[in-house]
């Protein structure tokens, strides 16, 4: 077991990659939570006796490190206050809206900030205890932006990487943050700071130059202590092969057929799958669809919109309001436009197993992904991976990170309702040859740049960024 300062690779993320499930008998067990990050990191974690530090969920769950599925997991407990102030507060009430173009108004509270500092310190201390000499530590996402610096103070020998899964905003927005300098300095503790898009990296470097006053050149920051920090983009991706295999399985194909039948075998099935989040543009897309029904461009007898909205951050006020608004809109649209046995929108506020997601992707003629702002958006890439027949149309917001790669999607501005209506219709009415041409090109792109390629690119660059320590990670077997 790789404990007590012997881990060559440490992943530090807000959440552990497992969920605690309670059986009907009352017994509890851990189940790997579905997610690209675990899939990407599992092989390299195994090859390097890696350790994952993170919150197991729940309040005050104080647990010893444990092995799960060949990974060593090291839980960090959060108190009820910390969940409220660090997690729901500063992470999801301040940083999340600020980094997503102020789609909602960020709140700035000093107690939230204090809690963010405390929790970040605890994560850094734990990583410092567990990492072997000259080890590699990879810190994930917006909840832990202070960890790189705190960790470097404790362990200057480490090679430290940071990856931000959400957008990094332009200076004009970022500078609202009362603690802007501390966040920038926190990130500068890393040797390599990774972003989804080149624009995020450029925003960061510009802010460091303007606000912290360090010299920069292209993607490099020169610190006074002779250290350099590289800021670069690494667009995250999915387990392409895994999704395609799942989509090809008999059970998923059967399930896809059952879903279409249950919906009355519509000519066009539109699909949205998102966490119920105000950044995802669910409300606007449902309105666009309902106007097409109202205008007579579509008919409930042969078109239906399935919207899966996975419950998310339900204790945060903004998310409660969003849920009520969405419920009301769906009720009104179905009340006005549905017929007996033919609702216009089939709305599911629930989360589903991966198999069901794949069956939905298989069943959908038009996948609708219309965030106002999104770091990447994996749903768009998962849909593409599941369309092994080359059919299916993707309507994609210009403001999703994935729009940079998925050029052949029907791209839309989610603030432009008429534009969105036109794109939904074009996608639904496109000739099969046109759909195939676009889908084939997108499939090639995602197949080449899968999540394993993402993790390898980041870790290789981190090795390059900090060569004096000599010790490289062991490559994944077979790569
Ligand atoms: C953040 C960034 C960036 C959703 N519902 C269910 C379910 N999901 C899975 C999807 C997909 C994932 O959750 C959602 O990923 P997204 O990328 O769409 O969005 P965020 O959750 O906002 O993720 C985002 C991402 O981090 C990675 O860097 O792309 O921009 O915001 O994989 O399939 N999975 C299952 N049941 C559900 O009900 N099994």
């Amino acid at each position: 077991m790789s404990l007590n300062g012997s881990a060559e690779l440490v992943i530090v993320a807000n959440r552990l990659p497992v969920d605690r499930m309670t059986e009907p008998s009352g017994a509890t067990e851990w189940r790997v939570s579905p997610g690209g990050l675990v899939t990407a990191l599992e092989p390299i974690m195994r090859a390097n006796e890696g350790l994952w530090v993170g919150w197991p969920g729940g309040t005050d769950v104080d647990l010893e490190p444990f092995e799960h599925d060949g990974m060593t997991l090291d839980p960090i407990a959060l108190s009820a206050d910390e969940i409220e102030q660090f997690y729901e507060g500063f992470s999801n009430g301040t940083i999340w809206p600020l980094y997503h173009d102020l789609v909602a108004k960020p709140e700035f509270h000093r107690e939230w900030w204090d809690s963010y500092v405390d929790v970040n310190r605890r994560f850094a201390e734990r990583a410092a205890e567990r990492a072997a000499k000259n080890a590699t530590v990879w810190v994930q996402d917006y909840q832990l932006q202070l960890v790189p610096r705190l960790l470097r103070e404790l362990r200057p020998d480490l090679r430290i990487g940071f990856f931000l899964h959400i957008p990094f905003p332009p200076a004009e927005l970022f500078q609202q943050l009362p603690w802007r300098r501390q966040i920038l300095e926190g990130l500068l503790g890393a040797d390599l700071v990774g972003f989804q898009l080149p624009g995020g990296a450029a925003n960061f470097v510009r802010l460091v130059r303007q606000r912290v006053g360090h010299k920069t050149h292209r993607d490099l920051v020169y610190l006074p202590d002779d250290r350099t920090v590289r800021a670069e983009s690494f667009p995250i991706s999915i387990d392409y092969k895994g999704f395609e295999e799942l989509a090809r399985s008999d059970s998923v194909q059967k399930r896809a057929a059952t879903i279409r039948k249950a919906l009355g075998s519509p000519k066009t099935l539109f699909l949205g799958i998102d966490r119920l989040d105000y950044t995802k543009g669910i409300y606007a897309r449902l309105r666009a669809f309902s106007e097409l029904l109202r205008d007579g461009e579509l008919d409930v007898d042969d078109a239906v919109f399935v919207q899966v909205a996975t419950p998310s951050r339900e204790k945060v006020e903004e998310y409660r309001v969003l849920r009520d608004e969405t419920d009301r809109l769906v009720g009104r649209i179905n009340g006005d436009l549905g017929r007996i046995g033919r609702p216009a929108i089939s709305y599911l506020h629930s989360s589903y197993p991966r198999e069901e997601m794949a069956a939905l992707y298989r069943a959908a003629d038009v996948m609708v992904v219309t965030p106002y702002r999104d770091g990447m958006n994996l749903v768009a890439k998962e849909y593409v991976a599941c369309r092994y027949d080359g059919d299916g149309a993707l309507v994609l917001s210009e403001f999703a990170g994935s729009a940079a790669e998925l050029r052949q999607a029907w791209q839309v501005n989610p603030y432009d309702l008429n534009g969105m209506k036109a794109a939904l219709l074009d996608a639904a009415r496109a000739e099969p040859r046109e759909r195939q041409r676009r889908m084939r090109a997108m499939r090639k792109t995602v197949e080449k740049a899968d999540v394993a390629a993402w993790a390898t690119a980041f870790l290789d660059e981190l090795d390059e960024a900090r060569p004096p320590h000599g010790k490289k990670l062991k490559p994944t077997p077979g790569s």
Side-chain angles (χ1 to χ4, degrees):
M1 196 137 101
S2 46
L3 298 180
N4 303 322
S6 59
E8 292 297 342
L9 173 65
V10 180
I11 304 296
V12 189
N14 177 53
R15 278 301 306 266
L16 283 180
V18 289
D19 289 315
R20 188 127 90 155
M21 314 297 279
T22 309
E23 309 274 304
S25 65
T28 56
E29 61 158 19
W30 294 101
R31 213 169 293 157
V32 172
S33 39
L37 198 58
V38 204
T39 320
L41 298 176
E42 234 182 318
I44 193 143
M45 292 271 286
R46 287 220 176 90
N48 290 281
E49 296 188 28
L51 177 93
W52 189 308
V53 175
W55 174 43
T59 314
D60 285 325
V61 189
D62 230 342
L63 295 165
E64 288 298 306
F66 61 97
E67 295 275 335
H68 187 88
D69 255 3
M71 293 182 290
T72 309
L73 306 181
D74 193 357
I76 293 208
L78 293 184
S79 69
D81 267 1
E82 286 168 343
I83 293 173
E84 213 181 300
Q85 307 201 333
F86 151 77
Y87 178 68
E88 288 155 4
F90 197 80
S91 299
N92 291 321
T94 307
I95 295 289
W96 179 269
L98 181 69
Y99 283 26
H100 285 92
D101 276 6
L102 310 187
V103 174
K105 196 166 164 41
E107 288 184 40
F108 303 115
H109 297 296
R110 285 164 288 184
E111 323 77 77
W112 289 3
W113 165 253
D114 292 343
S115 180
Y116 188 79
V117 175
D118 289 348
V119 173
N120 271 250
R121 180 164 296 121
R122 189 151 2 112
F123 274 75
E125 283 168 357
R126 184 70 63 83
E129 269 168 45
R130 300 301 192 212
K133 185 152 181 54
N134 294 341
T136 297
V137 180
W138 190 1
V139 184
Q140 308 284 328
D141 225 357
Y142 64 103
Q143 304 90 348
L144 301 175
Q145 295 173 98
L146 305 178
V147 169
R149 177 180 181 165
L150 295 167
L151 185 55
R152 179 163 305 281
E153 282 167 6
L154 295 165
R155 292 286 306 272
D157 60 300
L158 298 175
R159 184 184 271 138
I160 304 173
F162 179 92
F163 184 77
L164 185 70
H165 291 254
I166 67 176
F168 192 82
E172 291 69 19
L173 303 183
F174 185 82
Q175 59 204 12
Q176 287 189 6
L177 189 67
W179 307 279
R180 57 200 181 191
R181 191 178 170 119
Q182 290 95 314
I183 294 280
L184 295 172
E185 283 176 341
L187 293 170
L188 286 172
D191 299 296
L192 175 64
V193 187
F195 299 87
Q196 301 277 22
L197 297 181
N203 288 345
F204 173 71
V205 172
R206 181 171 157 224
L207 269 157
V208 164
R209 195 171 53 242
Q210 288 176 344
R211 291 275 155 210
V212 196
H214 292 317
K215 255 178 64 187
T216 68
H217 178 64
R218 298 196 177 165
D219 56 1
L220 281 182
V221 179
Y222 300 92
L223 301 183
D225 65 358
D226 273 353
R227 213 162 53 81
T228 54
V229 179
R230 189 177 285 273
E232 215 181 298
S233 67
F234 298 88
I236 199 169
S237 193
I238 56 157
D239 176 13
Y240 179 88
K241 277 211 193 84
F243 266 99
E244 174 164 346
E245 266 166 36
L246 189 62
R248 282 181 186 274
S249 69
D250 279 352
S251 57
V252 165
Q253 295 195 38
K254 279 199 192 112
R255 180 66 191 145
T258 309
I259 290 171
R260 288 195 71 101
K261 217 163 147 212
L263 291 163
S265 305
K267 186 163 149 257
T268 314
L269 196 166
F270 295 84
L271 174 67
I273 298 184
D274 314 76
R275 272 186 312 97
L276 186 51
D277 193 295
Y278 50 78
T279 59
K280 301 288 185 184
I282 299 171
Y283 194 93
R285 90 174 61 129
L286 295 181
R287 264 193 68 192
F289 175 71
S290 72
E291 288 191 13
L292 290 172
L293 291 174
R294 192 200 60 197
D295 301 346
E297 298 281 6
L298 295 173
D299 190 312
V300 277
D301 281 333
D302 54 31
V304 66
F305 202 118
V306 176
Q307 176 65 54
V308 175
T310 313
S312 182
R313 305 176 192 167
E314 292 183 293
K315 293 214 177 100
V316 180
E317 179 59 18
E318 285 281 350
Y319 288 76
R320 291 196 188 153
V321 172
L322 175 74
R323 181 168 182 200
D324 287 347
E325 284 174 358
T326 312
D327 285 353
R328 256 203 309 277
L329 179 71
V330 171
R332 199 168 66 226
I333 294 172
N334 282 340
D336 288 349
L337 299 163
R339 282 202 275 275
I340 284 179
R342 293 279 183 176
I345 296 170
S346 184
Y347 176 64
L348 306 157
H349 180 251
S350 188
S351 71
Y352 293 92
R354 240 165 66 101
E355 290 69 26
E356 185 73 357
M357 307 272 293
L360 284 163
Y361 291 141
R362 288 296 316 149
D365 302 296
V366 182
M367 183 79 216
V368 191
V369 180
T370 56
Y372 293 120
R373 184 56 76 194
D374 215 332
M376 178 55 56
N377 197 292
L378 298 180
V379 166
K381 291 187 172 180
E382 289 166 3
Y383 180 65
V384 167
C386 289
R387 306 308 303 197
Y388 56 83
D389 54 357
D391 205 357
L394 174 64
V395 174
L396 179 61
S397 163
E398 295 165 17
F399 306 132
S402 50
E405 290 166 274
L406 304 176
R407 307 295 317 169
Q408 296 79 7
W410 274 267
Q411 294 206 358
V412 294
N413 169 0
Y415 294 97
D416 169 12
L417 220 62
N418 283 346
M420 203 138 66
K421 287 166 70 178
L424 288 176
L425 272 190
D426 279 355
R429 292 176 180 166
E431 292 296 325
R433 276 189 54 180
E434 173 68 6
R435 287 202 300 267
Q436 296 262 354
R437 181 186 68 75
R438 293 178 184 236
M439 186 54 79
R440 262 203 300 274
M442 292 192 287
R443 285 177 59 76
K444 266 199 204 134
T445 306
V446 185
E447 184 177 18
K448 258 195 266 156
D450 69 357
V451 72
W454 169 79
T456 307
F458 185 94
L459 289 169
D460 283 355
E461 187 62 48
L462 183 55
D463 273 337
E464 295 285 313
R466 195 165 162 80
H469 289 280
K471 209 164 175 186
K472 282 205 162 205
L473 286 175
K474 290 186 197 125
T476 310
S479 70

